Each structure stands twice: as C-alpha cells, then as structure tokens.
Amino acid sequence: MPTVELLMPKMGESIMEATILTWNKQVGDSVAVDEAVLEIATDKVDSEVPSEVAGTIVKLLYKEGDVVAVGAAVALISTGGDDSSSQESTSVEEVSVKPEVSAASLETEINAQVAKQDSLQNSDANRFYSPLVMSMAKEENISMSELESIPGTGKDGRLTKTDMQSYLASDRRIKSKVEIKSQGGAPVNTSSPVSAAVSSPVTSASANVEIVEMDRMRKMIAKHMVDSVHTSPHVTTFVEADVTNIVNWRNKVKDEFKKREGENITFTPIFMEVVAQVLREFPYVNCSIEGENIVLKKDINLGMAAALPSGNLIVPVIKNCDQLNLMGITKKVNDLANRARLGKLKPEETSGGTYTLTNVGSFGNVMGTPIINQPQVGILAVGSIQKKPVVLETKDGDVIAIRHMMFLSHSYDHRIVDGAMGGKFVRRVADLLEQFDINRTI
C-alpha cells in the first residue's frame, strides 16, 4: 500500500525549523484530509500541521519536544485500506534510513537547539515551554520563576501564546514588573535563564504621565520599520488620480454584489488588480536585493496592510494576485482581512510578499509616505477619495466639474528603483484607474 510522508511545512522565509508541541494523532489512528496531525511552534507563531491525504498513521518519526528542520518528514501515512500491517513494517524499513541521514547532517544543529530548549526549562518542573513562549518571555524580561507562576490553558497545563498575551496585559504583570525594579531604578539580578536582569531604568514620571510598555507585536513592528529605513534609501513619489469611474461603478454594483455574494466589494480589490497588472510591466519594482544581486520575482504576491483591533499592523499576502480576476481578489481580500482581525491567519499567509499596498484612505488620510516592507523594494499607499472641482478638457473647451480624486504615494528603494521608474510606475497605476470601464460586470 502507498505510504506518504507528512513534511514539516515552510512557515516563512526566515524560519528554518520548528518544535513539535503535541501529536494529535498516534500510530494506528485514521486521519482525514486537512485534519490536524500535530501542533508545532516557532519563535513567531504556534500552528497546526494538517494532513494532505486521508489514511492511517503508520509511524511518528519524532517525539514531542523535538526540533525538526523545515521540509523534513515527521510522520508516515498509509493511504491504503485496512491491510496496513505488512505495509507498516515495509514502510518503516524503507524510510528508517532517511531520518538517520537527515539527522546526520542536522545532528549538531538539532542537538544544540534541544539543549538550548532544555536549558530554558526549570530542572524541577515537567512543564514544556514552546520557542514562541520563551521568545516572548525573553523580550518581556520575564524570569523563569515568574513564567512558572503563569497559569496555562493548553494541553497538560501548557502555556500558550494567548495565555502570555493575557498575562502581559493584566494588572498582575504590571505589578510584577514594578516589584522587579529596586529603588532608584537599579536593576535586580533575577538569575533567570530567560533574562538575567531588567536592563532599562525606571522612567521618572509624574501623575500626569502614563507609561505603557510595547506589546510583543509592536516591538517587532518597530524593529522591522527601523531596519527598513536603515536598509533602503526611501524615495516617495505622488500622483493624483481621477477615480470617478470607479466610484460610480462601485455604487452601481455594490448592493447587487452584497445580495448575491453575501459580502461587500470595496475599492481595495480594484486597486490591487491594477497594481498586479502594472507590476508585470515593471519587473524591477517586483524584486528584492541580495548583496549586489537583483532577484527578480516571477510571482506577483501582493501584501495588503491590515490594521488590527489592538492597533498593531499585519500584512497578509495574496499569492499570484495577477492570476485572479476581480471576483477572486475580492474574496481573498475580505477573507484575509476578516481572519487577520480574528487572529486566525496561518504563517504562510503573511510571508512571501513581493510588493505591498496600504489603504491609508480608510482612516480618512489624504496621503502617506509608507515604509517599505523588507525585503521588497516598493510599497503603494492610496489615500481617501474626495470630491474636488477639477478642470476637464472637452471638445467645446475647458470646463470645471466635480470629480472623485485620490492621491497615490509610491515609496521605493532608490538602490534599485530610480526616480524615473518609480514615477512611471505610479503614473501607470493612476492611468489604468482613470480608464476603468464603468460598464464592467462582476
């Protein structure tokens, strides 16, 4: 009977390994397509690994707590019928060498990671902490003793990301941080494997000042933005576009679309459709830089900056956006935006972007100067759509008319995108928006 390997999935360009938290299935258990077989953790996110086939678990190649490289087989699934006993022994023999070969090349790295993970545990406790939880604890300067005091809601009392977020936002955490500080702001050595000391002094503040520490996501955003400005020489070019045709078309179809599809059609999918088309015409805007090499991307994966209820920002990605029609893009935009707000995005849905669009107009802003989402080389901001008196040329002469106008702001990496290319790119986007067919069907 055929046997299929369940592989550790790729979860982002910078993630090379993950830790197995929990096996949801054991040898002999049946599994359906897309059913979660195990839970894994990286230093960025906890997630589930679903099965791509239906069958029976033949063998688990790693134990809970093992660190596994991306792309390595973690389990074997027999896709045959009930007669799996003979296949089990054959399959195990066939693949028994493979983990050993993989382990031989990764032995040093994996052992180091496991030893590192073990060193972060209290020798007197059996509680397991995922890399994500440990990373959060390190960034928040949480000592091991404090970490052990946090109640966990996961399996066997395991501490989850949600538990950590709730604790960090609680009064208990605030009080604990105050107790760690000594008088005068000098740090107290906690002798913790997570953090030896709180290095920053207490800020002196009056009763009229409130000091709020950044949450983990805000710290990551801050670092990402600073790194981007340090990496890329930013230039921003502005263009104003007449989007009256788009506004009138949307007003004409939005009620019917809502009734037929059960969801709204916004301006964002239209903008993304046009940007994807123009990126085909300007391949050097859809690239990245590695050292002194230019990496041209054949796939057009558009990121869409989305604001979260917490005030933080996340950028889900629509893969191969240029291959979708307006209906497909609309469905993707609505789905990703909704799941982003609910915190239900998968790791692969926020990675692999080649260009980003941000709609600052949704906040009532006329224009913006967005910061490039590394390692991309460009980002487009669209502002709010406003009615303005505009001079129009007609066959009978110039007239003043009320039109719907919008600013586009294109920030680009001047190492690779010169002013001419950056300006032509955003001008081409504006031209296509102005030429939108008001009689279009969807």
Side-chain angles (χ1 to χ4, degrees):
M1 301 297 177
T3 300
V4 176
E5 293 180 335
L6 178 64
L7 305 180
M8 179 65 74
K10 181 175 176 61
M11 293 161 287
E13 295 177 358
S14 62
I15 300 176
M16 304 305 297
E17 62 192 12
T19 301
I20 297 177
L21 295 179
T22 306
W23 284 104
N24 298 332
K25 297 291 183 177
Q26 299 298 324
V27 174
D29 291 347
S30 59
V31 61
V33 176
D34 291 332
E35 185 177 5
V37 178
L38 69 158
E39 295 179 18
I40 60 174
T42 69
D43 60 351
K44 294 184 178 180
V45 70
D46 293 355
S47 59
E48 297 178 336
V49 178
S51 173
E52 296 182 354
V53 298
T56 303
I57 301 295
V58 172
K59 186 175 180 62
L60 307 180
L61 301 177
Y62 293 91
K63 304 186 297 297
E64 293 181 358
D66 284 352
V67 178
V68 184
V70 167
V74 295
L76 305 178
I77 302 175
S78 171
T79 59
D82 296 334
D83 183 18
S84 60
S85 58
S86 60
Q87 174 63 20
E88 178 177 350
S89 60
T90 304
S91 300
V92 173
E93 290 177 2
E94 289 175 350
V95 301
S96 60
V97 176
K98 183 168 184 177
E100 292 176 4
V101 174
S102 176
S105 60
L106 297 172
E107 181 178 1
T108 303
E109 181 179 357
I110 290 177
N111 287 342
Q113 290 293 334
V114 172
K116 179 181 177 182
Q117 187 66 32
D118 290 342
S119 70
L120 295 176
Q121 315 302 317
N122 187 303
S123 59
D124 298 329
N126 294 320
R127 196 182 196 185
F128 175 82
Y129 298 107
S130 71
L132 175 60
V133 168
M134 296 305 296
S135 176
M136 293 174 71
K138 181 178 180 181
E139 292 209 10
E140 298 294 338
N141 293 317
I142 296 178
S143 66
M144 182 56 68
S145 59
E146 183 182 353
L147 194 65
E148 291 176 355
S149 69
I150 304 174
T153 60
K155 183 179 179 182
D156 299 325
R158 180 172 65 84
L159 202 60
T160 66
K161 179 179 72 171
T162 302
D163 296 332
M164 289 291 288
Q165 291 173 334
S166 299
Y167 176 69
L168 293 173
S170 67
D171 291 339
R172 178 183 173 192
R173 171 58 181 155
I174 295 173
K175 292 177 182 178
S176 176
K177 288 182 71 61
V178 172
E179 291 172 357
I180 291 176
K181 309 281 187 172
S182 66
Q183 292 183 354
V188 177
N189 190 345
T190 60
S191 301
S192 166
V194 177
S195 176
V198 179
S199 58
S200 57
V202 176
T203 302
S204 176
S206 68
N208 294 328
V209 175
E210 180 183 3
I211 299 174
V212 179
E213 186 177 3
M214 292 182 183
D215 60 26
R216 182 173 180 271
M217 180 174 285
R218 176 50 54 186
K219 290 178 182 178
M220 293 173 63
I221 292 172
K223 184 178 185 303
H224 191 56
M225 295 297 98
V226 171
D227 289 345
S228 180
V229 173
H230 285 173
T231 300
S232 301
H234 282 57
V235 177
T236 304
T237 301
F238 303 90
V239 167
E240 191 173 20
D242 184 343
V243 293
T244 304
N245 285 354
I246 294 175
V247 173
N248 291 339
W249 176 82
R250 178 179 174 272
N251 289 338
K252 182 175 67 174
V253 305
K254 65 180 182 179
D255 292 337
E256 179 186 349
F257 186 87
K258 173 74 172 180
K259 182 178 179 181
R260 187 182 73 198
E261 303 296 334
E263 54 187 302
N264 296 321
I265 181 170
T266 64
F267 293 111
T268 299
I270 301 172
F271 302 151
M272 298 192 77
E273 179 187 46
V274 171
V275 169
Q277 178 180 339
V278 178
L279 284 172
R280 280 287 177 214
E281 303 175 22
F282 293 82
Y284 279 82
V285 181
N286 192 62
C287 75
S288 62
I289 299 176
E290 293 183 1
E292 296 182 347
N293 296 321
I294 301 170
V295 183
L296 298 175
K297 308 293 179 67
K298 294 183 179 180
D299 294 330
I300 294 179
N301 301 332
L302 280 188
M304 43 173 276
L308 301 177
S310 63
N312 290 322
L313 188 72
I314 196 167
V315 185
V317 177
I318 298 180
K319 306 291 176 65
N320 299 307
C321 188
D322 60 317
Q323 299 179 20
L324 300 174
N325 59 20
L326 185 56
M327 172 69 80
I329 298 175
T330 300
K331 295 284 188 179
K332 280 285 190 180
V333 166
N334 291 344
D335 174 55
L336 290 173
N338 290 334
R339 288 194 290 114
R341 286 189 288 269
L342 296 174
K344 295 185 177 180
L345 290 175
K346 300 175 182 177
E348 62 269 20
E349 291 175 326
T350 60
S351 64
T354 60
Y355 189 85
T356 298
L357 182 140
T358 177
N359 189 347
V360 299
S362 60
F363 311 114
N365 301 141
V366 175
M367 65 176 72
T369 54
I371 296 177
I372 298 168
N373 186 17
Q374 296 293 329
Q376 300 165 25
V377 298
I379 180 172
L380 182 70
V382 292
S384 61
I385 299 174
Q386 297 183 326
K387 290 182 180 180
K388 292 183 179 181
V390 177
V391 176
L392 299 180
E393 296 180 355
T394 71
K395 62 182 181 179
D396 299 319
D398 294 346
V399 299
I400 296 177
I402 303 299
R403 306 292 289 179
H404 294 271
M405 306 298 292
M406 181 186 74
F407 280 103
L408 296 88
S409 312
H410 181 213
S411 292
Y412 45 93
D413 188 338
H414 214 325
R415 293 178 301 171
I416 183 63
V417 182
D418 292 329
M421 184 189 301
K424 288 178 180 178
F425 174 86
V426 68
R427 182 65 258 176
R428 177 60 173 159
V429 172
D431 289 343
L432 291 182
L433 292 177
E434 292 180 342
Q435 297 165 15
F436 188 87
D437 182 7
I438 196 170
N439 297 314
R440 180 175 182 173
T441 60
I442 184 172

